[in-house]
Amino acid sequence: MKRWKLVTCAVASLTALPLAVAVPAGAAPTGRYRAEIRRTAYGIPHVKAADYAGLGFGEGYAYAQDNVCVEASRLVTLAGERSRYFGPDAANDDPLTGTSNLDSDVYEQAELRSGVVRRLIAQPAPLGPTREVRDLVRGYVAGYNRYLRDTGVSRLPDPTCRGAAWVRPMTELDVYRDLYHVVQLEGAEQAIAPIVNAAPPAAGATARARPPVLRKADAGSNAYGLGRDATRGTGGMVLANPHFPWNGIGRFYQVQLTIPGRLNVTGAALYGTPLVEIGHTEHLAWSHTVSTAARAVFYRLTLAPGDPTAYLVDGHREAMTRRTVTVRVRGADGRLSSVSRTLYDSRYGPVLADGWTTANAYAIRDVNARNVRAMNTWLAMDQADSVAQLRTAQDTYQGIPFTNTIAADSTGQAYYADASVAPHVTDEQLKSCAVDGPEPTLDGSASRCAWGNDPDAIEPGIFGPSRAPRLSRTDYVTNSNNSPWLTNPDAPLTGFPQIFGDTGTPRSLRTRLGLDMVRQRLAGTDGLGPRGFDLTTLRRTMLGDRDLSAELLRDQLVAYCRAHPTLTATDGSPVDVRDACRVLAAWDSRTDPGSRGAVLWREFLNGASSPALFRTPFDPAHPVTTPRDLNTADPAVGRALADAVQRMASLRVPLDEPLGATQRYAGIAIPGCPGGEGCFNAVYPASPVLQANGTYPDVASGSSFIMAVALTPAGPRASTILTYSESANPNSPHHTDQTRLFSAKQWVPDRFTDAEITADPAYRTTRVAG
């Protein structure tokens, strides 16, 4: 039986809609936008509407109920006003860019005044937004603003922004500009500081500055696409395990979006985006992992003699363009002042501060600088119900910004593609045009080094779909952020343009572990029962919390320290390591919250990152099992163990301290470890080193929206975990409820059909209109 709740403004009780919007059972909501928000356990919203505008309205309203303050902060960022409200020196609200408020404001104001996003969205589809996307965005903005207007800033349930002067309504341009930042996360967004601080060298300067270094976004992921030969049924399965920030605007929002007969998709939407980026429909599921393809290409400019603001191309002089941006800044005394910066551009893109001398400068060209097609692509994927339809969606719009796609459908077809936007730089250009600088850096003085074109590409300068790495299988495909090469070791991918990634090179420990977990499951040698995946074994594989570095090296370290019970620390002190040997020998080589030895192992690895850590080097003929074996001949090995024991003693941390006592989020013990250590369930505390209080800082990123789904002819069967939970509001009952599930390795049943949704004991529904 349906239970209707009229909402006040207290999200904590999830009675969230004022009488002006909530509509009782049997009544028809009136207004331009209409939707039904059905919530199940853990506050997960299932939004249903008759059209895309209504669907966006319902999703925008639900999202605001749960995360209005995070979005309000983002809108301040997009307006270039963080320095006005929060001061210039603090970090902005995007953990993926690592930028100060002042640099962020200059960048945002320059982009806003350039009108680039307005021009891009003014294009007709497929380059500009489709009609469906425009309707979805329009409704989303209306729903968010309706919640804000009806609740009132002074009565917002989240104390983070309640009554704040910086809370304002959303605009459609905000949504598109936010998307524009998302698509450039692996490119220009990582060069904000060098872009906004660029300036020509002072007169008479002769010293050569160092070339720029591109910061990498702290994002990654794992994913499996399992075909019918790898599962115990006839259909396919997908494991989604994106690694993204746990705080701020980079989080995922779990939601189901339904227009009866036209759209039914559930999964994860990046905050502020009105569609599902990772999820499943009735017969198709997919996930994304950050790909190795280059998004940004640097060009070294040869400057015109006597003029550091002009450069030469094929011997002809071109002047840089410049824009001066002024932002308002609040000082320590609370007074506002103005700060101005001049930004410089070239034919290739923005000029950077780093490496700018009287002879040369560097510019960055982002392949996604004209991409607002991502939303078209994802919405078309949300409408797809087979691998073939997903591929058509991606080939039609070519808007995936920086990720691989791993998918499977109910026919048992598994599919991998790096269908992301990649710059059309040939292998020959990478060789003949390469100059000093970050990889790839090309010679900007030669027009032959410009990007090429493909006949099947949606726009000039990018590789067309026919050149992208792809693999279809009936057993499995995987990716854990290495290149496409070993998507399936039985069918190595080669022959694709080098700009997509390398081949024949070492794989990360996380990639190797992911492949080994599949191998063992298909052989039935992992202790989980008969071979082949079902939903139970997929969940247990995901959260088995194996640590591959320990499996490869722990026994040899134990043997070494037993033979050398006293080792010398870096400071020259002798350290008794016998207790450490006993702890490591007893450890199960896993990173469960109760695992004793995982903390000591991490502290050891922190000091043992010598290139010679492995005795057996990488062998391209055995890429999943090499390198291996501990190089105990390297003095760094013994020294690292002595240092770890010494440091833990100084912090009064027992050598057998359970991992969950040191690795936490909001006071909750968290399983897993950093991916570089060899964990599939990768979690990253803000620092990998124990702090003075004997714990790691709170987990800042890692496993986020985890989805295990089996696609059967009768429909999907799935389980999910949103590791940091649905709401950023500390007063919400859904602020850490799924985090506690994650700590206990429990899952949320996926409610997909109307019958499943309405049968949930926590089911409640509200109709909204505006």
Side-chain angles (χ1 to χ4, degrees), residues 13-31:
S13 64
L14 282 177
T15 55
L17 293 174
L19 291 176
V21 179
V23 181
T30 60

Side-chain angles (χ1 to χ4, degrees), residues 530-612:
R531 64 185 182 179
F533 283 94
D534 59 17
L535 197 54
T536 297
T537 56
L538 185 57
R539 290 192 303 248
R540 293 182 65 185
T541 298
M542 170 66 228
L543 295 183
D545 285 313
R546 290 172 55 187
D547 185 323
L548 185 59
S549 66
E551 293 178 12
L552 293 173
L553 305 174
R554 188 274 307 268
D555 289 348
Q556 294 158 66
L557 181 62
V558 169
Y560 176 77
C561 69
R562 283 173 173 166
H564 302 83
T566 300
L567 296 171
T568 302
T570 299
D571 65 3
S573 303
V575 178
D576 185 336
V577 296
R578 287 176 295 178
D579 285 345
C581 282
R582 285 192 287 271
V583 169
L584 292 175
W587 176 38
D588 60 3
S589 296
R590 296 185 184 262
T591 56
D592 299 322
S595 292
R596 296 179 181 271
V599 178
L600 173 59
W601 183 255
R602 186 177 303 176
E603 292 301 302
F604 160 70
L605 287 183
N606 286 338
S609 56
S610 165

Side-chain angles (χ1 to χ4, degrees), residues 36-105:
E36 183 179 3
I37 303 171
R38 304 174 294 172
R39 294 208 185 239
T40 53
Y42 305 98
I44 298 170
H46 308 257
V47 183
K48 180 187 282 189
D51 54 39
Y52 283 94
L55 190 67
F57 185 84
E59 185 186 4
Y61 198 100
Y63 171 65
Q65 287 178 306
D66 293 322
N67 296 296
V68 65
C69 288
V70 176
E71 187 60 34
S73 175
R74 184 59 172 172
L75 296 179
V76 176
T77 302
L78 294 172
E81 294 184 337
R82 297 199 67 83
S83 299
R84 177 189 186 104
Y85 292 105
F86 311 121
D89 300 325
N92 78 345
D93 65 335
D94 189 347
L96 289 169
T97 62
T99 305
S100 73
N101 282 339
L102 180 57
D103 287 349
S104 174
D105 288 344

Side-chain angles (χ1 to χ4, degrees), residues 460-486:
I462 67 174
F463 280 112
S466 63
R467 305 285 292 275
R470 302 176 191 255
L471 185 64
S472 294
R473 302 281 295 183
T474 54
D475 53 358
Y476 69 93
V477 295
T478 74
N479 188 266
S480 292
N481 305 127
N482 280 135
S483 74
W485 176 44
L486 292 188

